[in-house]
C-alpha cells in the first residue's frame, strides 16, 4: 500500500529524517513512535506531499508522491498536529468545504458528511462556529476532515492530544473501526496509545528507524526481566531468609513498604527463569502469607525509554537483573501500572 | 477552485471586511461623485474616477492582507496543500473571490454615469473607459497585495508592506523627478537598487553565496553597459520609474483612450504576481 524508501530530509545542516524506510500494508495500523523532534511530523508531511524530501521516495499504491501529487493526495486523509480549521466557519460549513476540495461527489456529499459527523460525534455541534468549540471537539472536527471522502490511507499526527480519557478511548475505537477498510498511520509519543491501537510499531529517534515490530512482540522480546515483586506479611528477617534459601534467586532487593507489618521486596532470577512457585512454597513454609506477587515485565514504555535513550540502538533487557536497573525499572513500571490497567479494560 | 472561491468569498462576509471594504469604497467615491459631478455640475465621470485612485493604496491592503497570511498562520494551508487541489487553483480561486468583491463596487459605480444621463448629456465612452481602466488597475493592486500576503504569516505585516509598496508605486513619478537626468546618477541609483534587491534576496533565501553572486553579476552588467554605452543611462531613471509606476498608466484611460498597451500592462502585472504567488506556495514544499 505505502512504501517509504531511504527517506532523507535535511534542513541546512540539521537532518530531520535520516534514511528512513518502511512499508505499510493495506488494512494495517502503523504506530509511529518517538520523542518530540524525532522526525515523526516531518515524515508524515512528506508522505502527504506537504513537504518534499531531500532524498528517497514515497509511493502510495505504486504512485510516487513527488511525481503524481494530485493522485496521491486524493488517496490520503491527513490530520496534522494542529488541526487545520477555519475558526470563522461553522462545523457544517467547514466539512462542506473540505468535501468540495477533496472532490467528493455531489450526490454522496450530504450523506457522507452526516455519516462522518455521527462517527466522530460532532453532529450536535454542526451549527456552531469552530472558534467556539473546545479543544477536544476541534480535534474531532480535524479528524472528521481527515476521514472526508473515505481515503484509502489515513494519516493522523497525534490524534488524541488534548482529549479527555473517555474521548481518547472513543477515538481509538474509531481508528480501529476504520482500519478494517483503510490503512492508518498514526504518530504518538504515548506508548499506551500505540500498543492499544496499532498492529505494528515503528520507533524512530533523531530521524532514524530504531526498531519496528508488533507491539506484543516488542514486550515479549524485551519485556521479560525475570524479576518478581512481592508484598509479604510477616517479619523481615524471616522472609528474607526464606527467599535467600531459594537457590535460583540471584538478588533480593528490599523496597519501602506501604502497609505496616509487611515487607516489600523485588526478587530477581535469570531472565528466562520462573521462580514464582518456589517463592510461594518457601514463604508458605515460613507461614508468611503473600499479599501481592507481580512479575516485573518491561512495559512498552520502558522499552521505548530504553531504546530512545541509549545511543546503541539495540537494547539489552538482560541487564535488567542488575539491582540498580531493577529499581529504576520499578519506578517506571509503577507509572505504567495505570496504563497496564487501561489496556486490560479495552 | 470553485470550492476555494466560495469559501473565500463567504469568509469576507462573515468577517465584516467585505462589508467594510465595499461601504468605505462607495462612501469615498460617493463623496467625490457628489462634489465633482453633482454639485459642480461636470458631466465627466472620469474626473471622479481619476481622483479616487489613491484609495487603492488605503483599501486594497485591507482586502488582500488576510488572503494567504491567515492560512499560513492558522496552518490551514496544510489542508489545502494536502488536498487534491493544485496551487494554481488555490491562487486563482482566491484571486477571483477578492476580485469579485472589488467587482461589486465597480458594478455599482457603473450605474453612476447612467444616473447622470437622466439629467443631461453625459460622455459615456470616456466614463466607461475610465471605469474599465480603474477595474484592471485595481486588479493589478489586488494581485500585488495577494503576493505580499503569501510571503508572511502576519496579516499586519502583509497590510503594512502592501501599503508601503502601493504608496511607492503611486508616488513613483514624483520621486523620479527628484533625480538629475544625467547618466552618472542613473548608474549610481541603479547600483543602489541592485544592492537593495540582493539584501531582499538574502532575507528571503538565507543564502549568502547566491545573493552575493547575483549582486556581482548584476553590478558587472551595469558597469559594462555604463562603460560601453553611457548614453543608455540618459534619463533612464524617469523611464524605469515611470515604467514601474502603476498609476501612471491610468492617465490614458482617464482621457477616454482605451489604451491597449495599458491594458496589456495591467493584465501582465496581474498574471505576473499571481504566478509569483503560485511559486511562493510551491516553494513552501521545498523549504
Amino acid at each position: 500500500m505505502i512504501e517509504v524508501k531511504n527517506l532523507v530530509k535535511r534542513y541546512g545542516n540539521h537532518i530531520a529524517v535520516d534514511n528512513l524506510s518502511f512499508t505499510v500494508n493495506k488494512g494495517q495500523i502503523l504506530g509511529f513512535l518517538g520523542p518530540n523532534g524525532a522526525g515523526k511530523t516531518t515524515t508524515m508531511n512528506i508522505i502527504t506531499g506537504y513537504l518534499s524530501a531531500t532524498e528517497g521516495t514515497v509511493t502510495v499504491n505504486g504512485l510516487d508522491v513527488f511525481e503524481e501529487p494530485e493522485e496521491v493526495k486524493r488517496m490520503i486523509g491527513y490530520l496534522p498536529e494542529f488541526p487545520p480549521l477555519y475558526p470563522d466557519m461553522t462545523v457544517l460549513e467547514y466539512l462542506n468545504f473540505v468535501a468540495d476540495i477533496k472532490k467528493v461527489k455531489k450526490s454522496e456529499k450530504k450523506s457522507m458528511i452526516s455519516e462522518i459527523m455521527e462517527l466522530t460525534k460532532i453532529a450536535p455541534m454542526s451549527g456552531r462556529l469552530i472558534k467556539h468549540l473546545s479543544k477536544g471537539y476541534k480535534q474531532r472536527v480535524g479528524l472528521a476532515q481527515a476521514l472526508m471522502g473515505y481515503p484509502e490511507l489515513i494519516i493522523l499526527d497525534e490524534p488524541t492530544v488534548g482529549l479527555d480519557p473517555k474521548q481518547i478511548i472513543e477515538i481509538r475505537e474509531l481508528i480501529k473501526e476504520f482500519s478494517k477498510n483503510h490503512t492508518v498511520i498514526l504518530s504518538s509519543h504515548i506508548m499506551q496509545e500505540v500498543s492499544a491501537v496499532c498492529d505494528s510499531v515503528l520507533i524512530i529517534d533523531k530521524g532514524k528507524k530504531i526498531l519496528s515490530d508488533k507491539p506484543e512482540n516488542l514486550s515479549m522480546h524485551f519485556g521479560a526481566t525475570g524479576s518478581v515483586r512481592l508484598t509479604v506479611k510477616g517479619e523481615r528477617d524471616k522472609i528474607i531468609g526464606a527467599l535467600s534459601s531459594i537457590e535460583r534467586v540471584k538478588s533480593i532487593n528490599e523496597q519501602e513498604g506501604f502497609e505496616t507489618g509487611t515487607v516489600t521486596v523485588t526478587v530477581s532470577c535469570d531472565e528466562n527463569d520462573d521462580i514464582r512457585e518456589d517463592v510461594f512454597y518457601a514463604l508458605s513454609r515460613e507461614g508468611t502469607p503473600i499479599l501481592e506477587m507481580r512479575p516485573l515485565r518491561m512495559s512498552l514504555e520502558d522499552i521505548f525509554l530504553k531504546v530512545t535513550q541509549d545511543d546503541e540502538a539495540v537494547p539489552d533487557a538482560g541487564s535488567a537483573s542488575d539491582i540498580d536497573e531493577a529499581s529504576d525499572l520499578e519506578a517506571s513500571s509503577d507509572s505504567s501500572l495505570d496504563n497496564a490497567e487501561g489496556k486490560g479494560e479495552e | 477552485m470553485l470550492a476555494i472561491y466560495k469559501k473565500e468569498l463567504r469568509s469576507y462576509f462573515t468577517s465584516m471586511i467585505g462589508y467594510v471594504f465595499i461601504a468605505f469604497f462607495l462612501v469615498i467615491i460617493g463623496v467625490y461623485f457628489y462634489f465633482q459631478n453633482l454639485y459642480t455640475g461636470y458631466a465627466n465621470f472620469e474626473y471622479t474616477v481619476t481622483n479616487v485612485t489613491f484609495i487603492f493604496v488605503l483599501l486594497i491592503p485591507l482586502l488582500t492582507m488576510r488572503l494567504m497570511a491567515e492560512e499560513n498562520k492558522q496552518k490551514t494551508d496544510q489542508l489545502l496543500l494536502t488536498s487534491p487541489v493544485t496551487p494554481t487553483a488555490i491562487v486563482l480561486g482566491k484571486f477571483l473571490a477578492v476580485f469579485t468583491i472589488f467587482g461589486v463596487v465597480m458594478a455599482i459605480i457603473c450605474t453612476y454615469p447612467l444616473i447622470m444621463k437622466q439629467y443631461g448629456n453625459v460622455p459615456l465612452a470616456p466614463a466607461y473607459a475610465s471605469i474599465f481602466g480603474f477595474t484592471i488597475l485595481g486588479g493589478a493592486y489586488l494581485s500585488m497585495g495577494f503576493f505580499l500576503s503569501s510571503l508572511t504569516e502576519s496579516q499586519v505585516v502583509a497590510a503594512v508592506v502592501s501599503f508601503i509598496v502601493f504608496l511607492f508605486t503611486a508616488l513613483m513619478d514624483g520621486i523620479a523627478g527628484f533625480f538629475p537626468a544625467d547618466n552618472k546618477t542613473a548608474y549610481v541609483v541603479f547600483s543602489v537598487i541592485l544592492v537593495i534587491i540582493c539584501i531582499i534576496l538574502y532575507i528571503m533565501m538565507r543564502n549568502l553565496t547566491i545573493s552575493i553572486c547575483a549582486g556581482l553579476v548584476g553590478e558587472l552588467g551595469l558597469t559594462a553597459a555604463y562603460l560601453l554605452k553611457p548614453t543608455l543611462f540618459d534619463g533612464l531613471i524617469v523611464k524605469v520609474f515611470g515604467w514601474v509606476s502603476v498609476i501612471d498608466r491610468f492617465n490614458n484611460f482617464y482621457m477616454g483612450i482605451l489604451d491597449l498597451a495599458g491594458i496589456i500592462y495591467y493584465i501582465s502585472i496581474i498574471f505576473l504576481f499571481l504566478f509569483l504567488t503560485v511559486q511562493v506556495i510551491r516553494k513552501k514544499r521545498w523549504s
Side-chain angles (χ1 to χ4, degrees):
Chain A
M1 170 83 201
I2 168 162
E3 194 174 9
V4 174
K5 245 192 219 158
N6 306 329
L7 202 64
V8 178
K9 177 73 183 174
R10 267 190 222 103
Y11 293 107
N13 293 327
H14 172 69
I15 297 186
V17 177
D18 193 358
N19 212 359
L20 194 67
S21 305
F22 62 89
T23 54
V24 189
N25 299 324
K26 200 171 162 63
Q28 239 187 351
I29 311 183
L30 174 76
F32 231 32
L33 201 64
N36 294 329
K40 295 174 300 220
T41 301
T42 309
T43 311
M44 291 185 150
N45 277 338
I46 293 173
I47 296 173
T48 54
Y50 181 65
L51 287 179
S52 70
T54 315
E55 280 166 43
T57 56
V58 176
T59 50
V60 180
N61 272 349
L63 295 173
D64 193 304
V65 177
F66 309 112
E67 276 157 24
E68 286 158 281
E70 313 303 325
E71 285 304 306
V72 173
K73 283 172 188 175
R74 209 180 275 263
M75 294 187 274
I76 298 180
Y78 182 33
L79 169 64
E81 214 172 348
F82 306 98
L85 307 173
Y86 293 100
D88 284 329
M89 283 186 176
T90 66
V91 173
L92 193 62
E93 278 171 354
Y94 175 71
L95 291 179
N96 254 311
F97 169 64
V98 173
D100 284 341
I101 59 167
K102 301 241 168 158
K103 317 239 158 109
V104 175
K105 283 194 197 107
K106 267 231 162 71
S107 52
E108 298 167 8
K109 199 167 94 176
K110 212 169 168 194
S111 62
M112 190 183 286
I113 289 174
S114 55
E115 212 174 291
I116 287 176
M117 284 204 295
E118 283 306 320
L119 272 174
T120 49
K121 305 211 167 105
I122 50 174
M125 301 291 157
S126 67
R128 292 241 208 137
L129 286 179
I130 289 175
K131 64 180 166 193
H132 294 152
L133 295 181
S134 67
K135 174 92 176 85
Y137 271 112
K138 280 183 185 158
Q139 191 72 22
R140 290 185 202 203
V141 176
L143 189 66
Q145 166 272 123
L147 301 180
M148 191 57 71
Y150 298 126
E152 289 173 56
L153 175 63
I154 295 170
I155 298 183
L156 309 168
D157 198 352
E158 312 210 340
T160 55
V161 164
L163 301 180
D164 64 42
K166 188 162 168 275
Q167 292 170 331
I168 289 178
I169 292 172
E170 280 170 12
I171 294 283
R172 281 187 202 154
E173 290 302 318
L174 191 64
I175 293 169
K176 273 190 193 162
E177 183 69 33
F178 258 91
S179 69
K180 285 174 193 161
N181 307 312
H182 306 261
T183 311
V184 181
I185 299 180
L186 67 91
S187 82
S188 179
H189 54 251
I190 307 164
M191 250 307 184
Q192 68 181 112
E193 182 157 298
V194 170
S195 57
V197 177
C198 298
D199 303 324
S200 65
V201 182
L202 178 72
I203 299 183
I204 62 170
D205 187 26
K206 297 181 189 111
K208 283 200 187 88
K209 172 155 99 178
I210 289 183
L211 57 91
S212 70
D213 209 334
K214 293 188 168 163
E216 55 268 28
N217 285 359
L218 283 181
S219 55
M220 224 185 271
H221 286 164
F222 305 106
T225 59
S227 303
V228 179
R229 189 161 101 153
L230 293 167
T231 305
V232 188
K233 194 174 173 186
E235 281 169 46
R236 185 187 165 275
D237 296 338
K238 222 172 165 185
I239 293 164
I240 300 289
L243 289 173
S244 339
S245 68
I246 306 170
E247 272 169 36
R248 280 142 62 201
V249 167
K250 284 172 108 184
S251 71
I252 297 169
N253 185 29
E254 204 178 331
Q255 263 99 28
E256 214 176 304
F258 295 106
E259 291 172 74
T260 45
T262 65
V263 179
T264 304
V265 285
T266 303
V267 184
S268 313
C269 64
D270 273 336
E271 204 185 308
N272 302 320
D273 210 354
D274 189 354
I275 53 165
R276 284 177 296 177
E277 271 181 44
D278 298 24
V279 168
F280 171 77
Y281 285 122
L283 290 173
S284 66
R285 249 178 269 130
E286 292 294 327
T288 48
I290 299 171
L291 301 180
E292 189 190 335
M293 170 149 70
R294 184 155 58 89
L296 287 185
R297 308 187 85 233
M298 270 172 102
S299 70
L300 280 171
E301 226 139 65
D302 301 320
I303 299 168
F304 173 55
L305 282 177
K306 219 168 148 44
V307 164
T308 52
Q309 271 164 7
D310 293 352
D311 275 337
E312 298 91 312
V314 184
D316 179 15
S319 64
S321 56
D322 229 90
I323 289 179
D324 288 346
E325 285 237 10
S327 56
D328 280 349
L329 234 170
E330 192 70 32
S332 57
S333 64
D334 263 337
S335 66
S336 66
L337 225 190
D338 315 6
N339 305 346
E341 278 163 11
K343 273 176 235 162
E345 274 169 25
E346 281 160 42
Chain B
M1 190 177 98
L2 197 66
I4 292 182
Y5 172 76
K6 278 197 289 192
K7 178 223 117 196
E8 210 58 46
L9 203 57
R10 196 191 295 124
S11 76
Y12 273 114
F13 291 110
T14 49
S15 68
M16 296 287 292
I17 289 185
Y19 296 110
V20 170
F21 175 82
I22 292 174
F24 204 57
F25 213 127
L26 286 177
V27 164
I28 292 180
I29 290 185
V31 168
Y32 272 82
F33 178 57
Y34 177 73
F35 282 108
Q36 296 260 340
N37 298 117
L38 302 183
Y39 189 71
T40 48
Y42 278 117
N44 303 64
F45 187 63
E46 58 270 24
Y47 292 171
T48 304
V49 174
T50 312
N51 274 314
V52 294
T53 45
F54 76 92
I55 53 175
F56 283 136
V57 175
L58 293 172
L59 286 182
I60 296 283
L62 183 76
L63 210 54
T64 56
M65 63 181 187
R66 50 171 298 285
L67 267 179
M68 273 318 287
E70 202 184 20
E71 305 265 5
N72 293 345
K73 176 120 192 176
Q74 307 270 10
K75 308 259 178 209
T76 41
D77 59 325
Q78 241 173 347
L79 169 65
L80 298 181
L81 295 179
T82 56
S83 301
V85 215
T86 58
T88 316
I90 296 172
V91 167
L92 278 182
K94 280 173 173 282
F95 180 73
L96 288 179
V98 82
F99 195 73
T100 304
I101 293 177
F102 178 63
V104 169
V105 179
M106 291 300 110
I108 295 171
I109 288 176
C110 278
T111 61
Y112 291 5
L114 293 178
I115 294 171
M116 287 198 291
K117 187 134 177 58
Q118 303 292 314
Y119 307 99
N121 218 355
V122 175
L124 285 181
Y128 283 109
S130 66
I131 290 179
F132 175 72
F134 193 68
T135 311
I136 51 175
L137 171 64
Y141 273 122
L142 286 172
S143 174
M144 281 193 270
F146 187 10
F147 169 69
L148 292 170
S149 169
S150 73
L151 294 176
T152 168
E153 277 190 3
S154 154
Q155 295 192 38
V156 178
V157 170
V160 170
V161 173
S162 307
F163 177 73
I164 292 170
V165 169
F166 293 174
L167 199 65
F168 203 62
T169 60
L171 300 177
M172 201 64 102
D173 273 346
I175 295 172
F178 289 127
F179 292 103
D182 67 312
N183 49 32
K184 200 169 175 187
T185 321
Y187 172 67
V188 173
V189 167
F190 285 116
S191 301
V192 170
I193 291 176
L194 190 69
V195 170
I196 294 173
I197 290 175
C198 289
I199 292 172
I200 294 172
L201 213 63
Y202 175 69
I203 291 170
M204 278 174 67
M205 293 169 60
R206 299 253 160 239
N207 192 330
L208 202 62
T209 21
I210 289 184
S211 35
I212 287 179
C213 281
L216 284 178
V217 169
E219 192 57 45
L220 226 73
L222 267 181
T223 315
Y226 179 66
L227 291 176
L228 294 175
K229 206 177 172 195
T231 48
L232 200 70
F233 284 84
D234 284 331
L236 195 64
I237 298 183
V238 179
K239 241 187 268 171
V240 169
F241 277 31
W243 189 64
V244 188
S245 166
V246 180
I247 283 183
D248 193 38
R249 301 262 164 175
F250 184 64
N251 292 338
N252 280 337
F253 292 99
Y254 141 72
M255 289 186 283
I257 304 166
L258 211 55
D259 174 18
L260 189 64
I263 297 173
I264 291 174
Y265 175 79
Y266 287 136
I267 291 183
S268 318
I269 286 196
I270 294 176
F271 278 102
L272 173 69
F273 280 98
L274 290 185
F275 173 76
L276 289 176
T277 313
V278 172
Q279 297 314 309
V280 169
I281 294 175
R282 285 234 171 90
K283 184 187 150 267
K284 221 185 259 173
R285 201 176 163 197
W286 305 98
S287 63

